Amino acid sequence: NFRDANWENLSEAVHAIQDERTVSASLEQLYRNVEDVCMQNHADWLYNRLEEECDIHASKTLELITSWLSLEAMPFLEHVKGTWERYCSQLILIRQVFMYLDRTYLLTKSEHRSTFDMGLSYFRGHLLDKQYKPVEEKTVLGILSIIDAEREGESIDRHLLKNLVRMFTLLGLYDSSFMGLFFDRVEAFYSRESKHVIMVRVDAFMPLFAGRLFDF
């Protein structure tokens, strides 16, 4: 009963943070709830409960992003950026609540991740799931389209680009999901540019070359 009563307070706070509602209990009280559970040798149980909540929330977050797949590229990317920033902010608040768990129990458990890294891990896992693969694909293609637009001289939202690339970096997906396609675009772009420059120079020298042939 002691353990469950403390978890009831903690889970209510976690849900409030995830739903962007006001947390009724103070941070100090929640910290003490975590400390009390850990001191009673229930740290492993508490970590597992928190894992379940993070897993569910990561899935719900990606379900929300999936509902925007029909949008045009830029509005979709704006929604992804905003949702990702809120998700990270929520993880930071949850980490503050479970700081005692991070600083004691998790320091001795190399097989477990910190509360913040746990949230990132579940988001990454669901993003790679077949169900949410279109989210990853559309986001990557959207980032590449922004880069292409800048190369063509268009004004772009650099803050949006920076945050989306950083998202893939934090999730450990930069190399596997983004870098290969990015290098392909770079190679194609410079191939087109080099051919264009060659053609322009040939066109510029042809009249001069033709005139010298005529003189000869």
Side-chain angles (χ1 to χ4, degrees):
N1 291 337
F2 167 83
R3 183 185 68 179
D4 294 340
N6 278 277
W7 173 244
E8 184 177 351
N9 292 334
L10 291 169
S11 62
E12 181 182 345
V14 169
H15 293 159
I17 292 171
Q18 292 171 343
D19 296 338
E20 298 182 286
R21 294 184 282 107
T22 301
V23 180
S24 57
S26 67
L27 181 60
E28 180 182 1
Q29 178 60 51
L30 295 170
Y31 184 92
R32 290 187 181 279
N33 288 147
V34 174
E35 183 180 11
D36 290 343
V37 173
C38 292
M39 292 294 289
Q40 294 295 323
N41 297 320
H42 295 305
D44 190 62
W45 175 88
L46 181 62
Y47 185 84
N48 291 335
R49 299 289 79 74
L50 182 59
E51 270 194 315
E52 293 172 1
E53 296 297 338
C54 288
D55 186 14
I56 293 170
H57 183 56
S59 178
K60 288 182 177 179
T61 301
L62 280 163
E63 284 180 11
L64 178 62
I65 297 176
T66 302
S67 68
W68 298 321
L69 281 170
S70 60
L71 295 175
E72 295 294 327
M74 289 305 296
F76 174 76
L77 293 178
E78 289 286 355
H79 279 300
V80 172
K81 180 183 79 71
T83 303
W84 169 251
E85 290 176 346
R86 288 192 298 274
Y87 185 82
C88 289
S89 296
Q90 292 161 4
L91 286 180
I92 291 172
L93 290 174
I94 291 172
R95 181 180 61 183
Q96 291 177 352
V97 172
F98 290 87
M99 187 67 72
Y100 186 86
L101 188 69
D102 268 3
R103 291 179 174 177
T104 56
Y105 170 74
L106 295 179
L107 286 179
T108 63
K109 301 290 182 178
S110 58
E111 70 274 18
H112 290 325
R113 299 172 291 270
S114 69
T115 52
F116 185 83
D117 290 340
M118 178 211 301
L120 295 183
S121 176
Y122 278 116
F123 192 97
R124 179 183 187 275
H126 286 295
L127 185 61
L128 293 176
D129 189 87
K130 183 179 180 181
Q131 179 182 358
Y132 302 115
K133 193 68 175 176
V135 171
E136 178 199 11
E137 294 172 347
K138 184 162 184 173
T139 303
V140 170
L141 292 177
I143 295 173
L144 294 174
S145 68
I146 294 176
I147 296 172
D148 289 343
E150 185 181 38
R151 288 197 177 114
E152 295 298 329
E154 297 181 26
S155 177
I156 66 166
D157 186 344
R158 287 178 173 271
H159 180 71
L160 173 65
L161 179 62
K162 176 183 176 181
N163 278 271
L164 291 174
V165 172
R166 186 169 182 270
M167 179 185 77
F168 278 95
T169 303
L170 281 175
L171 292 173
L173 296 174
Y174 182 86
D175 292 346
S176 60
S177 298
F178 177 76
M179 189 168 65
L181 291 174
F182 173 67
F183 283 158
D184 289 343
R185 291 289 188 101
V186 171
E187 182 180 359
F189 172 76
Y190 283 108
S191 177
R192 292 194 306 270
E193 285 296 300
S194 61
K195 291 178 182 178
H196 175 70
V197 170
I198 291 172
M199 291 302 298
V200 168
R201 293 191 175 185
V202 168
D203 291 342
F205 280 105
M206 280 302 293
L208 178 60
F209 182 67
R212 288 183 177 179
L213 284 177
F214 182 75
D215 293 339
F216 178 77

